[in-house]
Amino acid sequence: AQSVTQLDSQVPVFEEAPVELRCNYSSSVSVYLFWYVQYPNQGLQLLLKYLSGSTLVKGINGFEAEFNKSQTSFHLRKPSVHISDTAEYFCAVSDHENYGQNFVFGPGTRLSVLP
Amino acid sequence: ETGVTQTPRHLVMGMTNKKSLKCEQHLGHNAMYWYKQSAKKPLELMFVYSLEERVENNSVPSRFSPECPNSSHLFLHLHTLQPEDSALYLCASSQDGLAGDTGELFFGEGSRLTVL
């Protein structure tokens, strides 16, 4: 079974500053990795995903994440945040078969971008 | 219509009411899901339907009853709910199994349920 840890429940950051949201996972099998964003009163939207290949993954809205197999991490980064990035961010893992049924989400990190 | 659509967006009901949440996906996917999102708790998978067959029921109380009449529609029937059932209920879909290509879940905007 997989599990996901997001160590920071809340991350406040000033506008135009860089940000890193941390995600660590555990799994006994190969996994797919995802970051989702949830804006207030909305559903979850995919930011980026790692399936295979290059360990540096670029997503929408200027976000990127790096898969580190040895550290079992998939941290999300953005070099300069905007007020509009204020949202809840969820890291998720799934395995390579029946992945929809085996999706595991982390508890989420609330990013607050301050003016 | 695009993606995954959920109705109603907001629902207030008493503990003795019977209501239903509806989800419709326009992506041609073969699997659909109900998730519960409560404040300060991780997302909870409630039900999974793959090819219209229920394949997962994560110990959800019987006052929640899912229905999947076809691969595009998913319902969650609600009856005699408790105040602690108040939450955001999210529907998702995916192209699942070995034929899948992206492995991601596509979510609707959710139905905010308040039980009085």
Side-chain angles (χ1 to χ4, degrees):
Chain A
Q2 291 92 250
S3 67
V4 178
T5 303
Q6 293 180 249
L7 292 173
D8 306 305
S9 60
Q10 295 188 63
V11 174
V13 63
F14 286 106
E15 193 174 16
E16 298 183 4
V19 70
E20 179 179 82
L21 306 183
R22 295 180 291 170
C23 172
N24 289 89
Y25 69 93
S26 67
S27 176
S28 57
V29 299
S30 296
V31 295
Y32 294 149
L33 294 156
F34 307 82
W35 276 99
Y36 281 84
V37 60
Q38 185 178 31
Y39 299 104
N41 300 313
Q42 294 188 25
L44 276 68
Q45 177 185 357
L46 183 71
L47 267 181
L48 49 77
K49 60 188 175 186
Y50 172 79
L51 304 182
S52 65
S54 173
T55 57
L56 182 62
V57 181
K58 294 191 183 297
I60 62 172
N61 301 338
F63 284 93
E64 64 180 32
E66 186 155 21
F67 169 54
N68 188 319
K69 189 174 182 179
S70 63
Q71 297 187 2
T72 60
S73 68
F74 191 54
H75 301 331
L76 181 71
R77 291 189 280 263
K78 186 170 182 178
S80 175
V81 294
H82 302 289
I83 295 287
S84 59
D85 292 323
T86 294
E88 189 95 20
Y89 290 80
F90 295 92
C91 182
V93 300
S94 69
D95 63 31
H96 283 192
E97 289 189 19
N98 297 320
Y99 30 71
Q101 300 169 28
N102 295 322
F103 242 79
V104 175
F105 286 90
T109 296
R110 181 166 299 277
L111 174 65
S112 298
V113 180
L114 310 171
Chain B
E1 292 283 1
T2 59
V4 181
T5 306
Q6 289 187 242
T7 55
R9 291 294 311 278
H10 300 273
L11 178 63
V12 180
M13 59 187 289
M15 289 190 287
T16 58
N17 291 158
K18 288 186 179 181
K19 297 286 185 183
S20 297
L21 305 181
K22 178 184 176 182
C23 176
E24 184 173 0
Q25 59 99 359
H26 309 274
L27 301 168
H29 289 165
N30 61 3
M32 297 186 76
Y33 313 79
W34 280 116
Y35 280 86
K36 177 183 179 182
Q37 187 177 33
S38 305
K40 301 188 187 304
K41 293 177 69 175
L43 276 162
E44 301 173 52
L45 178 63
M46 300 176 71
F47 299 103
V48 180
Y49 276 83
S50 180
L51 298 172
E52 301 156 42
E53 296 289 325
R54 189 192 307 182
V55 296
E56 184 82 16
N57 176 352
N58 280 348
S59 303
V60 179
S62 60
R63 56 186 184 269
F64 295 92
S65 174
E67 178 189 2
C68 187
N70 55 61
S71 60
S72 299
H73 293 86
L74 184 66
F75 295 89
L76 188 62
H77 303 301
L78 316 169
H79 60 99
T80 60
L81 294 190
Q82 304 298 311
E84 60 264 29
D85 296 322
S86 298
L88 182 67
Y89 289 85
L90 292 163
C91 175
S93 69
S94 71
Q95 185 60 26
D96 210 12
L98 296 177
D101 56 353
T102 65
E104 71 183 83
L105 294 177
F106 292 77
F107 284 86
E109 296 199 328
S111 294
R112 173 73 61 187
L113 173 65
T114 302
V115 182
L116 302 176

